């Protein structure tokens, strides 16, 4: 994704989601063809107060990973809400 510009970008507080358009050459019927596919990067940023620097964690996903992630996050949220845990 070096030098690649995002297709879309969203931010909610310290969480950011970015959609990237990627290109790859593949062989199809003995011919080199360029195909485009999209990936997603999720990032959480925070300031390390001890060292006074910004840090982040990233997770790169493929299109087919998103629905699985949504299911898992919904289960996590359900578990936390049903256990009575609150911020």
């Amino acid at each position: 994704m070096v030098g690649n510009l995002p297709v879309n970008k969203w931010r909610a507080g310290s969480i950011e989601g970015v959609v990237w358009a990627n290109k790859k050459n593949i062989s199809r019927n003995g011919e080199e063809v360029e195909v485009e596919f999209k990936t997603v990067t999720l990032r959480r940023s925070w300031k390390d107060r001890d060292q006074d620097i910004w840090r982040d964690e990233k997770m790169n996903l493929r299109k087919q990973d998103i629905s699985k992630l949504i299911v898992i996050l919904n289960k996590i949220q359900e578990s936390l809400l049903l256990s009575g845990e609150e911020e």
Side-chain angles (χ1 to χ4, degrees):
M1 289 188 282
V2 175
N4 199 6
L5 294 176
V7 174
N8 286 308
K9 185 189 252 186
W10 299 272
R11 179 182 284 279
S14 62
I15 305 295
E16 179 182 73
V18 182
V19 176
W20 303 93
N22 304 282
K23 294 180 181 175
K24 181 179 182 178
N25 290 326
I26 63 168
S27 180
R28 187 177 288 163
N29 297 328
E31 213 177 297
E32 282 289 311
V33 179
E34 185 176 78
V35 294
E36 186 177 279
F37 62 98
K38 293 188 171 91
T39 57
V40 173
T41 300
L42 297 177
R43 182 172 70 134
R44 183 178 72 93
S45 302
W46 71 96
K47 187 164 188 174
D48 184 334
R49 294 173 202 242
D50 295 336
Q51 298 181 14
D52 196 36
I53 57 173
W54 281 94
R55 299 194 178 271
D56 66 10
E57 297 174 318
K58 292 181 185 175
M59 176 186 239
N60 296 309
L61 304 165
R62 294 181 180 163
K63 183 169 63 172
Q64 63 268 28
D65 297 330
I66 295 171
S67 59
K68 296 170 191 170
L69 181 63
I70 290 169
V71 169
I72 291 169
L73 289 173
N74 282 328
K75 291 294 183 183
I76 290 168
Q77 183 181 39
E78 181 181 296
S79 172
L80 292 174
L81 290 174
L82 292 176
S83 71
E85 226 177 273
E86 294 184 20
E87 287 187 34

